[in-house]
Amino acid sequence: MLSLLGAFAQAQHTNRMLGEPVDVSSDFRDFQNTFFFADKLASFNAADAKGTISWKRSSVYTRQAFNVNTILPQDLKMLDFPGPAYEQNPELAFRVDFVSPRTVRIRMLTSPVEPKTFDSPMLVGEPGKDNSWKYTRLANGHLYTSKYAKLLIEESPFRITLMDESGKRLTDTWRWADNDSSQVKVLPFNFIKKGVDNSREINPVFSLSPNEKIFGCGESFTKLDKRGQKVNLFVTDPQGPETDGMYKPVPFFMSSRGYGMFMHTSAPVTCDFGNTYVGANKLFMGDEIMDLFVFIGQPKDVLNEYTNITGKAAMPPLWSFGTWMSRITYFEQKEGYEVAAKLRENKIPADVIHFDTGWFETDWQCDYKFSPSRFSNPQKMIDDLKQQGFHISLWQLTYFTPKNKYFSEIIDKNLHVKNLKGEMPYEDAVLDFSNTETIRWYQDKLGGLLKMGVGAIKADFGEAAPLEGIYASGRSGWYEHNLYPLRYNKAVAEITKQTTGDNIIWARSAWAGSQRYPLHWGGDAANTDIGMEAELRGGLSFGLSGFSFWSHDIGGFVQPSPENLYRRWLPFGFLTSHSRAHGAPPKEPWLYNAGFVKAFRQSAELKYKLMPYVYAQAKNCTETGLPMVRALFVEFPDDPGAWDVEDAYLFGADIYVAPLMENTGSRTVYLPGKTNWIDYQSGKSYVPGWNTIACGDIPCIILVREGAVIPHAALAQSTDKIDWKNITLKVYGHAPAAKGLLCIPSDNKLINLELTKKGNAYQYSGKPVTGVNFNIQ
């Protein structure tokens, strides 16, 4: 029997190719596993909302009917020996904590053993405690009520129901009785004890309602609404944004019915959002405990509550919002000078020059030193370019090949992830960021570069932490693999902040909590219309997962960008929080033609003139948890049409952007809300609903919400030259009053802009802003 189990475990291991996502749902179709279904509330103390749940022991079997086999459960008599030492139907701990009037935390154990305290890097601290929830005893349950929500816990059969403040059901846990009217028998809320190793995994199951939509789960490139999809939350390198794999999965989602959920775990998770049964939301969690935060409210409320728990983005430096010029790769010091000179010569505003994999002596061999044969004086280059308004960004990664100069040192000092034997799991040494000694060693290397004046470190990769590895934390890769990007992001961000004072990294991988360490880009997009479309979906989904800042490789990454695609991608790239031209050469506009230089310049100038708007919206995002690249329904939750749009977005609160996904001069777009939208380029007004709109000189549909005040600055060639003492306030439309935001970088405080129409002109009616002159248009 043991040999059979060993063979089964080996089969599970070999069926998955290295780097592929883990599908946890397959464990819940395994006949070797013992199932336990949430049956009834065995005990409960209403005062502290703690109790126990009785879990009914079961197994699964196949039933044949008319040449079709289905899987069904049946009660199972315990055969464990010695019998008196174990429970037939275990009664295990369950508790509810009220974090805020909008946030509830629900925890369940699958074992009698309380888990050890773990300082979760996903959380910003111990969640708060809210005493505003009122308790009512019911005949068969317990009702808790806040200003915004109701939580009902029914005793037998066990069920949790989430309602809004009016008592409208938002969702509830699935029970056996919910299958009575259907031939399809959905397995209700359960956990399994795996036959292969006796470990546990839990499967909360919730109801889905007609027309309910699901969003989030990280930077997902598939259809924005996840209803009907199966989503594996497992950090992987999908080789681009055109598949269902994710560099940045996040165990969080929100529903169009007014709630969201955060699965506080780093184990693999598979979310079946009505994929195998249209009315059931099955959350297959590879964890032995369930720690679930539930948020109630509109999308803005849910994002704010979620980021109160996991953290809001730090404010990146002003210069990071400018143009990043890059390719794969600049190899020499003289190229840095040449690119800087060409940018200024062609009057293309820019703030960053990025050196990718080739600044070492050997391409891709990270040794944290500029190549002495190609960089005669890197310190002088950094200083000279800084004088011209340029910051330097440098690529690196945390995998060390056997030929890398640090390979032996990393092994000798035990700074790497190990296998079950304590040796190397891969050919490459992978730094173990759960080891404080590793962090010190690594940050010392980065710190030397940052002290030279380097502005940002590109934290590439991070998706391949060994799943079967053993980490210094004492945990296996089952729990550390998904945490690796978060630990990696944190290590780079902290040494950068400590050395330069700036909140900035440039990272590809992420997990819940990584939003605290901006920023992240969308990976290696194909140079195709589909690649651009997928990137936008990924950015929107990422923003709906608590991340305020995001970027993507303008024009695509893999091959030289076709000029027409690159032209259409430019405004999308510059109307994103952070804007980088990167990928296979040529990426520099002057290597195309004079017309393309003009197109590149126009999009860059657009953003630099809008920098007061960009910076203020960014600051607001750091305080609210909102994304800069924003799905329409976040601002317009009461507009049903807004929930269906995934190929256009709001840049901040007031600017609508619809990129041209194909080589056309116009687009049909859905405009949300009840007020008109003003074309930023032509000034023409459009009514809400469906409109076909021609683009202007900049190949993109760019509109402004009527009644918005958009602050502008005079054009500058770098952000350090922007004149913040003279701001132009442009009012769009003819509303009697107009509003907007401003944030002056010198004090980083948000200012509410308020203008009132007097006759045919607008006058500033908000609080005075010291040291700033307004020109109202």
Side-chain angles (χ1 to χ4, degrees):
M1 181 63 180
L2 288 177
S3 62
L4 288 175
L5 289 177
F8 174 72
Q10 184 64 28
Q12 279 194 319
H13 177 77
T14 56
N15 284 342
R16 176 183 160 272
M17 187 179 293
L18 182 66
E20 285 185 338
V22 171
D23 183 350
V24 184
S25 69
S26 63
D27 292 340
F28 289 79
R29 295 175 60 86
D30 188 338
F31 285 44
Q32 295 187 85
N33 297 335
T34 304
F35 285 72
F36 296 85
F37 294 99
D39 185 33
K40 61 186 176 182
L41 202 58
S43 65
F44 191 72
N45 180 1
D48 60 9
K50 295 180 182 179
T52 56
I53 296 172
S54 176
W55 296 84
K56 181 175 286 189
R57 184 183 294 258
S58 304
S59 64
V60 293
Y61 67 99
T62 54
R63 174 194 176 214
Q64 186 275 142
F66 302 106
N67 302 313
V68 174
N69 282 345
T70 55
I71 297 177
L72 294 172
Q74 61 185 353
D75 291 349
L76 176 66
K77 178 177 173 54
M78 185 186 71
L79 299 175
D80 295 355
F81 182 84
Y86 304 99
E87 296 294 331
Q88 165 70 27
N89 297 319
E91 296 180 0
L92 302 172
F94 156 72
R95 65 181 292 178
V96 176
D97 295 288
F98 300 99
V99 178
S100 80
R102 293 189 183 275
T103 300
V104 176
R105 185 181 193 181
I106 305 170
R107 285 180 274 187
M108 297 181 186
L109 301 188
T110 63
S111 161
V113 180
E114 288 278 348
K116 295 179 180 178
T117 301
F118 175 65
D119 186 13
S120 171
M122 291 174 274
L123 306 181
V124 288
E126 185 62 27
K129 182 175 177 61
D130 180 66
N131 296 316
S132 69
W133 292 74
K134 306 302 181 187
Y135 172 75
T136 304
R137 182 67 167 101
L138 303 178
N140 185 40
H142 310 268
L143 179 67
Y144 292 88
T145 304
S146 78
K147 180 180 178 181
Y148 304 107
K150 300 177 187 291
L151 184 76
L152 173 62
I153 305 169
E154 294 178 74
E155 293 183 351
S156 183
F158 174 77
R159 179 165 65 179
I160 296 175
T161 301
L162 181 69
M163 297 171 276
D164 67 13
E165 71 276 11
S166 71
K168 173 188 172 183
R169 182 187 66 85
L170 304 179
T171 187
D172 50 22
T173 55
W174 201 274
R175 305 175 301 171
W176 280 117
D178 296 318
N179 292 314
D180 289 350
S181 60
S182 172
Q183 287 197 115
V184 179
K185 306 305 179 187
V186 176
L187 298 187
F189 204 124
N190 67 90
F191 75 84
I192 56 173
K193 183 174 74 171
K194 297 171 69 174
V196 69
D197 59 6
N198 274 8
S199 65
R200 272 82 161 163
E201 295 175 351
I202 194 163
N203 175 212
V205 182
F206 293 89
S207 62
L208 291 170
S209 297
N211 297 315
E212 183 172 358
K213 303 178 191 303
I214 299 292
F215 300 90
C217 292
E219 189 192 48
S220 173
F221 304 110
T222 59
K223 186 172 174 57
L224 193 61
D225 176 10
K226 303 307 172 196
R227 179 77 180 266
Q229 299 183 46
K230 184 165 76 170
V231 181
N232 293 314
L233 302 179
F234 183 83
V235 177
T236 190
D237 177 359
Q239 305 288 298
E242 299 83 30
T243 75
D244 61 352
M246 283 186 275
Y247 304 104
K248 311 171 191 66
V250 178
F252 164 83
F253 64 89
M254 66 170 71
S255 164
S256 60
R257 285 181 69 81
Y259 69 91
M261 292 185 180
F262 167 48
M263 296 160 278
H264 180 213
T265 180
S266 58
V269 175
T270 296
C271 299
D272 180 331
F273 295 121
N275 174 262
T276 53
Y277 185 76
V278 295
N281 179 3
K282 307 172 186 178
L283 308 176
F284 299 98
M285 301 164 64
D287 206 321
E288 297 196 340
I289 67 170
M290 186 193 82
D291 188 359
L292 187 68
F293 288 85
V294 183
F295 315 102
I296 301 95
Q298 298 278 34
K300 284 186 177 182
D301 303 317
V302 170
L303 284 172
N304 187 51
E305 294 288 319
Y306 167 64
T307 53
N308 283 343
I309 298 296
T310 58
K312 291 180 166 58
M315 184 66 181
L318 173 64
W319 58 262
S320 73
F321 294 97
T323 306
W324 295 52
M325 192 68 243
S326 177
R327 62 156 64 183
I328 182 165
T329 175
Y330 300 130
F331 286 100
E332 301 181 32
Q333 176 176 304
K334 69 176 184 178
E335 289 180 289
Y337 281 112
E338 289 170 356
V339 170
K342 281 289 188 180
L343 286 166
R344 295 293 181 248
E345 176 187 328
N346 286 286
K347 298 190 181 306
I348 296 172
D351 275 74
V352 184
I353 295 174
H354 172 70
F355 289 86
D356 213 61
T357 63
W359 61 281
F360 318 111
E361 187 64 30
T362 303
D363 192 17
W364 290 93
Q365 289 296 316
C366 180
D367 62 7
Y368 307 104
K369 294 187 182 301
F370 284 93
S371 164
S373 66
R374 301 190 305 278
F375 290 82
S376 59
N377 193 337
Q379 183 65 70
K380 185 176 187 302
M381 179 194 71
I382 293 169
D383 294 342
D384 289 348
L385 295 182
K386 189 71 174 289
Q387 288 294 317
Q388 299 174 35
F390 291 104
H391 293 75
I392 296 298
S393 168
L394 296 178
W395 177 93
Q396 54 83 67
L397 83 169
T398 58
Y399 313 151
F400 294 79
T401 67
K403 292 185 178 180
N404 188 285
K405 64 179 285 187
Y406 288 117
F407 182 82
S408 296
E409 179 182 345
I410 290 167
I411 303 302
D412 292 343
K413 292 182 176 178
N414 289 310
L415 305 178
H416 63 301
V417 180
K418 301 172 181 62
N419 63 16
L420 292 172
K421 192 179 178 181
E423 303 294 341
M424 291 274 294
Y426 293 167
E427 289 181 287
D428 296 350
V430 178
L431 292 182
D432 181 356
F433 287 114
S434 74
N435 183 345
T436 55
E437 290 302 316
T438 301
I439 295 172
R440 273 193 284 270
W441 181 91
Y442 177 66
Q443 289 184 336
D444 177 69
K445 300 294 184 288
L446 298 187
L449 297 165
L450 294 164
K451 288 174 183 175
M452 292 176 67
V454 169
I457 300 295
K458 180 176 175 179
D460 205 357
F461 294 91
E463 304 92 0
L467 183 63
E468 297 80 12
I470 301 299
Y471 293 71
S473 64
R475 295 182 160 211
S476 74
W478 190 255
Y479 289 95
E480 284 289 342
H481 171 88
N482 282 335
L483 278 184
Y484 193 89
L486 174 56
R487 296 189 189 277
Y488 179 17
N489 296 168
K490 183 174 186 282
V492 179
E494 287 186 341
I495 189 60
T496 303
K497 175 72 171 178
Q498 176 185 322
T499 309
T500 70
D502 287 337
N503 300 303
I504 186 71
I505 64 174
W506 192 276
R508 191 173 77 172
S509 56
W511 185 251
S514 286
Q515 70 272 10
R516 303 192 298 266
Y517 312 110
L519 60 110
H520 299 77
W521 98 99
D524 302 341
N527 311 89
T528 62
D529 294 340
I530 288 294
M532 180 166 69
E533 181 190 47
E535 281 284 37
L536 176 52
R537 279 198 303 271
L540 288 171
S541 186
F542 200 45
L544 293 170
S545 306
F547 286 74
S548 295
F549 304 112
W550 176 76
S551 186
H552 46 98
D553 291 343
I554 301 174
F557 171 82
V558 181
Q559 294 183 333
S561 302
E563 182 179 339
N564 178 270
L565 174 69
Y566 202 170
R567 280 177 179 261
R568 290 182 283 114
W569 205 315
L570 282 168
F572 169 35
F574 280 99
L575 294 176
T576 301
S577 76
H578 290 78
S579 308
R580 184 178 75 157
H582 177 70
K587 297 303 292 190
E588 302 76 15
W590 50 88
L591 296 180
Y592 282 79
N593 52 62
F596 188 75
V597 170
K598 179 183 177 182
F600 197 108
R601 183 190 304 119
Q602 282 180 314
S603 288
E605 288 181 347
L606 169 69
K607 188 173 191 182
Y608 275 72
K609 291 175 183 177
L610 281 171
M611 200 59 73
Y613 171 82
V614 173
Y615 196 76
Q617 294 293 319
K619 178 62 175 176
N620 186 55
C621 288
T622 67
E623 297 181 1
T624 59
L626 293 173
M628 285 289 286
V629 173
R630 194 171 304 174
L632 304 188
F633 66 77
V634 175
E635 290 291 332
F636 299 94
D638 297 326
D639 184 335
W643 293 84
D644 293 328
V645 177
E646 61 176 24
D647 60 355
Y649 62 97
L650 291 167
F651 182 46
D654 297 318
I655 296 180
Y656 181 106
V657 182
L660 298 183
M661 297 300 180
E662 297 184 81
N663 185 18
T664 60
S666 64
R667 254 201 66 174
T668 299
V669 297
Y670 181 82
L671 304 181
K674 298 179 179 179
T675 59
N676 288 359
W677 292 83
I678 315 302
D679 192 311
Y680 184 86
Q681 299 188 75
S682 71
K684 185 177 179 180
S685 180
Y686 294 91
V687 298
W690 290 102
N691 292 265
T692 299
I693 303 175
C695 65
D697 289 342
I698 296 175
C700 185
I701 309 304
I702 308 168
L703 308 170
V704 181
R705 192 198 305 227
E706 185 172 39
V709 179
I710 306 296
H712 288 68
L715 180 63
Q717 290 301 299
S718 57
T719 56
D720 62 336
K721 299 295 192 297
I722 291 175
D723 179 7
W724 290 92
K725 294 181 179 180
N726 294 285
I727 300 296
T728 298
L729 302 181
K730 293 188 178 182
V731 180
Y732 290 81
H734 304 285
K739 297 187 297 183
L741 292 172
L742 182 66
C743 182
I744 306 301
S746 58
D747 66 6
N748 260 348
K749 293 180 181 178
L750 275 175
I751 300 163
N752 290 309
L753 299 174
E754 298 175 5
L755 280 75
T756 306
K757 196 171 186 180
K758 302 288 186 181
N760 293 323
Y762 284 90
Q763 295 180 359
Y764 183 74
S765 55
K767 293 182 180 179
V769 182
T770 304
V772 179
N773 298 313
F774 290 141
N775 174 28
I776 300 173
Q777 296 182 1

